[in-house]
Amino acid sequence: GDKTGLTQGSGYYAINGVGIGDRIIMASKLGYQTYTGTVTVQKGMTVVHNIDLTKGSTTDTTPPTVP
């Protein structure tokens, strides 16, 4: 199922309990374009994924297809 995480002022986030494999990650904030990307989760590993949001209106939030 879907997992969510919230950031505080620092922008750090953690999403626990994610299954292994390719996963779609989305980030959004009012006044910024929605970010969509993919990460690969491996067993026993911590994934670090930095996100830079671009100022502007929200864009299409349809997630990409994971191969």
Side-chain angles (χ1 to χ4, degrees), residues 6-64:
L6 297 174
T7 67
Q8 299 201 3
S10 64
Y12 290 100
Y13 66 94
I15 304 171
N16 298 311
V18 177
I20 60 173
D22 291 334
R23 301 290 176 221
I24 297 169
I25 187 167
M26 297 176 73
S28 62
K29 180 178 180 178
L30 187 63
Y32 289 80
Q33 294 179 12
T34 298
Y35 170 87
T36 304
T38 57
V39 295
T40 301
V41 178
Q42 298 178 6
K43 184 177 181 178
M45 301 292 289
T46 298
V47 177
V48 175
H49 188 81
N50 295 319
I51 298 171
D52 289 319
L53 295 179
T54 303
K55 286 188 178 186
S57 62
T58 346
T59 58
D60 180 18
T61 58
T62 304

